[in-house]
Amino acid sequence: MGYEITRFNDEVDEELMCTICGQVLESPVQIRQCEHCFCGSCVHEWFKHQQVCPVDRNPVSPVEDLIQPPRILRNLLSRLKISCDNKDFGCTTVVRLDSLGAHHNECLFNPKRPVPCDKGCGLVVPLDEVPKHNCVQELHKLLNEKSERVDELVSKVDNLELQLNDQYREILILKEIVRSMRTSVCGSLSNTDETEKAIQTVRWLSTLKSARVRRWGGMISTPDAVLQAIIKRALGDSGCPSHLLTELMANAHERRWPTGLSTLETRQMNRRRYEQYVTKRVPGKQAIVIMASENEHMGEAMIVSPGLVMIFAHGVE
């Protein structure tokens, strides 16, 4: 839609008029073959119904046949003097057509001119919305939008974490396969059996939740037979592979622990290192599993193969 002709002080040449809307050309385009010019919005709306020139009715391709009008026509348009869009609101300014956009953004009579709220919220609002602007309501709305954005980001992070966990489990499986193939020697089991055991181990570990120990001082280093039986049953119910179950429970006593944990004195010395363990919780019990494959960074003095079970009086989350 073009500019209303009544907004111009001088007489406008009819060559600068759009034959579709009858107004002065706005964002004009030209048809390549016949050189007829129209408002960009007018001719695109026209082509939604029929793809012919509005003047001579010759076929037109909207994609290939529309071009920019010649410079002389654009210059003639830019020099026309036009009244401000906000004339009805009190603005008496008359500017060149090519300066209309810049003036509109700065016009003091523009009802949509952005202004800072003078009530203290610090938001920028359109001038005509200032009287009904509610700082508390707008800030609450802004807070909700930010909260929704944070929720979206948290959801994306959670999805990425799940993907990373899946990749981590796959890496562990490959790692266990490689380790089992390297360590497997002549014995009762073939390399294939060792590989299958490694896969079972990693799959089981992936079902256990990560544990957090709040009170390492609650560690029970010499659990009695009854306590060991309770933890062993819980491990079995969690799906712990049978080839691991016996070894892990044997390693639940300090006599099978590595040198860094084997005595009360060494446990006191290494207490600060405990937080570096990668731990999995025995479901429903105050006990954790520390597997060698997940704790190679701890060194031989702090881990034993294939892993160990630590039982606590309290403090496991």
Side-chain angles (χ1 to χ4, degrees), residues 164-236:
L164 289 173
N165 287 338
D166 290 340
Q167 293 175 6
Y168 178 66
R169 284 193 290 270
E170 291 175 2
I171 291 172
L172 284 180
I173 291 174
L174 292 174
K175 189 175 179 180
E176 281 297 313
I177 291 173
V178 172
R179 189 179 69 83
S180 65
M181 293 177 68
R182 285 177 177 175
T183 58
S184 179
V185 292
C186 294
S188 60
L189 296 174
S190 66
N191 285 344
T192 301
D193 292 331
E194 291 291 345
T195 300
E196 181 60 30
K197 283 187 174 183
I199 294 174
Q200 291 175 6
T201 298
V202 176
R203 285 177 176 169
W204 167 64
L205 282 175
S206 69
T207 66
L208 300 182
K209 294 182 178 179
S210 296
R212 178 175 178 269
V213 180
R214 290 187 293 105
R215 299 181 182 179
W216 288 94
M219 188 188 307
I220 301 175
S221 57
T222 56
D224 58 31
V226 174
L227 186 54
Q228 289 196 61
I230 293 173
I231 301 301
K232 184 175 183 179
R233 188 182 310 113
L235 280 175

